[in-house]
């Protein structure tokens, strides 16, 4: 595994996101919705750098896949808190093709929010297949499979405090 962003770089990126989000919303109330499970660590760090009145909810996104290839995406908004009339910030770990973001933004819009914006830690360059783009993104990264700081490979590596590129030799069989 090769470290792409070390702990300090990740911390600086999260602070940058927090400053940009604060510049956007000021002290207006915000409802942050984290995409589980990948945004778990980012949400925990980001919310402690935000000082506006803040509500936090989660939405579950899962694709029926095991490895680095992803299958059909299913969105479960059953755990979402009340979004009617709220300014909503959707938070995910990484923007890749954009299908996840597009689908979740659409699902949240059904709940009558005042606005929906999105923030991600990482954006893979040149991979977008949809017209949606994250409003806030801390780092553009090359097209590689990354793990750590919430991001997983087969549900492992989420606990790494840095972002690493998973190499061929790290991939288990069937990937
Ligand atoms: P998209 O729908 O293609 O934009 O993919 C976004 C989702 O795929 C994220 O929420 C991640 O869960 C997952 N994903 C995309 N790229 C990676 C990666 O490099 N490592 C781990 N998960 C990834
Ligand atoms: Mg995810």
């Amino acid at each position: 595994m090769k470290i792409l962003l070390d702990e300090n770089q990740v911390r600086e990126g999260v602070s940058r996101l927090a400053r940009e989000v604060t510049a956007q919303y000021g002290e207006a109330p915000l409802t942050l919705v984290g995409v589980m499970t990948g945004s778990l660590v980012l949400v925990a760090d980001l919310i402690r750098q935000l000082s506006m009145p803040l509500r936090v909810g989660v939405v579950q996104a899962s694709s029926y896949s095991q490895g680095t290839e992803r299958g059909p995406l299913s969105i479960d908004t059953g755990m979402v808190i009340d979004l009617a009339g709220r300014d909503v910030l959707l938070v995910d770990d990484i923007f890749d093709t954009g299908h996840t973001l597009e689908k979740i933004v659409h699902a949240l819009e059904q709940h009558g929010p005042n606005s929906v914006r999105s923030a991600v830690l990482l954006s893979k360059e040149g991979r977008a297949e949809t017209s949606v783009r994250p409003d806030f993104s801390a780092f553009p990264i090359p097209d590689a499979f990354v793990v750590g700081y919430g991001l997983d490979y087969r549900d492992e590596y989420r606990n790494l405090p840095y972002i690493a590129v998973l190499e061929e030799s790290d991939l288990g069989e069937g990937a």
Side-chain angles (χ1 to χ4, degrees):
M1 242 187 259
K2 188 170 145 286
I3 294 185
L4 183 65
L5 298 165
D6 67 23
E7 268 188 88
N8 276 328
Q9 290 173 298
V10 172
R11 192 176 306 120
E12 282 165 17
V14 175
S15 296
R16 203 158 59 236
L17 277 183
R19 285 195 298 274
E20 289 175 12
V21 168
T22 300
Q24 174 74 51
Y25 296 98
E27 286 303 309
L30 181 64
T31 300
L32 186 150
V33 175
V35 182
M36 291 297 111
T37 306
S39 76
L40 186 65
V41 184
L42 173 61
V43 167
D45 284 345
L46 182 62
I47 61 175
R48 286 177 289 174
Q49 295 197 38
L50 297 175
S51 61
M52 69 282 281
L54 189 76
R55 300 156 76 243
V56 180
V58 298
V59 60
Q60 179 78 53
S62 32
S63 47
Y64 308 98
S65 63
Q66 281 278 292
T68 58
E69 290 299 317
R70 270 163 290 129
L73 179 69
S74 94
I75 306 294
D76 179 359
T77 57
M79 279 153 64
V80 158
I81 55 177
D82 182 27
L83 304 181
R86 306 279 181 172
D87 290 312
V88 174
L89 181 66
L90 183 64
V91 176
D92 203 0
D93 48 6
I94 187 166
F95 179 88
D96 185 10
T97 64
H99 290 295
T100 303
L101 198 64
E102 180 173 66
K103 201 160 177 178
I104 300 177
V105 166
H106 183 74
L108 297 186
E109 278 169 351
Q110 310 309 306
H111 294 246
N114 182 52
S115 66
V116 180
R117 290 188 177 86
S118 58
V120 295
L121 186 71
L122 313 171
S123 297
K124 279 190 200 173
E125 292 191 301
R127 291 271 303 163
E129 292 175 2
T130 65
S131 57
V132 292
R133 295 290 181 278
D135 296 279
F136 310 98
S137 170
F139 299 102
I141 64 162
D143 180 16
F145 196 81
V146 291
V147 294
Y149 199 75
L151 292 134
D152 74 302
Y153 170 64
R154 297 183 172 181
D155 284 314
E156 288 183 36
Y157 305 112
R158 295 194 198 276
N159 53 317
L160 297 178
Y162 48 79
I163 302 285
V165 174
L166 208 61
E167 293 164 309
E168 277 305 311
S169 56
D170 303 315
L171 301 176
E173 69 180 45

